[in-house]
Amino acid sequence: MADVSIQFGLNHMIRPALSLDGLFAMAKALGASGVEIRNDIEGKPVLDGTKPDAVRALAGSHGASIISINALQRFNEWNDARAREAGELIAYAAACGAKALVLVPTNDGSGCADGERQANLRNALKHLQPMLKQSGIAGLVEPLGFESCSLRFKSEAAAAIKDTPGGEAFKVVHDTFHHHVAGETQFFPEMTGLVHISGVSDQTVSLEDMRDSHRELVDEHDRAGNILQIKALLEGGYRGPFSFEPFASMVHELPDLEGALAASMAFISAKVEKAAA
């Protein structure tokens, strides 16, 4: 792992109020390898009706790479409506120049039963595979560590992908927060297409009560084990982006977000290098 530089990315969740132009500009200023645009932010692309070719042109003007569109929600609850939504998002991703579409499972307590959740996952992958293959877009399956989620573990995602004909269309998202919350110990660097990073600095919240609102930038107070997770993924051969995805409002409201992100990048890089020495 000697001399491996970490590729950082920015998810629009770093500051939802930021314009897409501002997001691309910040990524360029920070030397980030790319950005993730979202389809769940009111008044911003994709929800505001911005055409994909306009997004592609804006990215090009900044020399920016679009890592993914985040996300097709409830992807493992496959039905006609989901198929239409998937088709629209895949087409948008291809037209705007995004490399991938993030796939997020149901997270409301439904479809969690043993046997049911595995069958639903495989059914969704079976239908998504030809759609993704035709477009050249990768499907990034993102397990969520919450007990209410129908896909908590990367091990189940990896097994389903391996069982799917043409499964090379899919990769797994390793989210450091969800890895920690799920209590998962397995890493799948060879099957990982994207890493989401965020830290938990609150020293009072229990593991069971950790939620998106606790997800901040990674610093010396982090309880989610980001440094060791990043080190393990790099040692396993992962060379893709580590994309910041903090949901905490205190991050969104930082007066110098760019400076805080630069500090977190420097902290992570230094600690990972030290841990690998």
Side-chain angles (χ1 to χ4, degrees):
M1 200 186 82
D3 300 323
V4 173
S5 60
I6 300 173
Q7 295 184 46
F8 290 107
L10 301 182
N11 187 297
H12 205 157
M13 193 48 67
I14 60 167
R15 178 169 285 168
L18 193 65
S19 69
L20 193 58
D21 185 62
L23 179 66
F24 286 140
M26 187 175 291
K28 185 175 183 179
L30 289 167
S33 64
V35 305
E36 292 184 86
I37 62 176
R38 302 183 68 95
N39 64 321
D40 59 357
I41 301 177
E42 292 291 342
K44 301 290 189 298
V46 177
L47 280 185
D48 68 353
T50 300
K51 299 297 184 184
D53 56 343
V55 174
R56 180 188 284 267
L58 186 60
S61 70
H62 288 280
S65 171
I66 301 176
I67 299 168
S68 76
I69 291 181
N70 192 326
L72 175 63
Q73 299 286 343
R74 306 181 73 89
F75 85 94
N76 56 342
E77 185 181 71
W78 195 259
N79 51 39
D80 290 343
R82 199 74 61 247
R84 287 192 297 272
E85 185 182 4
E88 291 168 0
L89 282 172
I90 290 170
Y92 196 102
C96 78
K99 298 175 182 177
L101 173 64
V102 175
L103 307 171
V104 174
T106 59
N107 185 35
D108 58 5
S110 65
C112 293
D114 193 28
E116 177 188 13
R117 66 177 188 271
Q118 293 92 341
N120 287 345
L121 174 58
R122 283 163 172 76
N123 181 53
L125 296 181
K126 179 185 70 175
H127 285 92
L128 280 163
Q129 191 276 337
M131 301 169 72
L132 292 164
K133 182 180 179 181
Q134 184 176 14
S135 68
I137 299 297
L140 301 177
V141 180
E142 181 168 23
L144 307 181
F146 304 128
E147 289 188 4
S148 57
C149 186
S150 56
L151 178 58
R152 296 187 67 196
F153 301 107
K154 294 182 296 297
S155 55
E156 285 196 3
I161 289 170
K162 289 177 180 177
D163 287 348
T164 301
E168 62 273 7
F170 301 97
K171 293 287 187 180
V172 174
V173 176
H174 179 112
D175 185 296
T176 57
F177 171 81
H178 287 296
H179 179 89
H180 178 68
V181 170
E184 191 161 22
T185 58
Q186 285 185 277
F187 292 81
F188 298 88
E190 74 287 352
M191 296 186 69
T192 300
L194 174 64
V195 178
H196 283 153
I197 57 175
S198 57
V200 178
S201 299
D202 187 335
Q203 303 300 306
T204 63
V205 63
S206 68
L207 180 66
E208 294 74 21
D209 290 334
M210 287 182 182
R211 294 294 181 267
D212 282 340
S213 60
H214 297 105
R215 298 173 63 175
E216 304 176 28
L217 300 181
V218 180
D219 61 19
E220 66 272 17
H221 304 296
D222 177 40
R223 295 173 55 196
N226 274 268
I227 300 305
L228 292 180
Q229 290 185 51
I230 293 169
K231 175 177 175 287
L233 288 163
L234 290 171
E235 286 181 341
Y238 175 75
R239 295 294 181 267
F242 292 84
S243 182
F244 284 92
E245 192 186 35
F247 283 77
S249 59
M250 61 85 64
V251 175
H252 303 163
E253 297 161 4
L254 284 171
D256 182 14
L257 176 60
E258 186 176 312
L261 282 163
S264 187
M265 290 176 177
F267 171 80
I268 292 169
S269 296
K271 288 296 184 180
V272 170
E273 182 178 352
K274 183 177 180 181

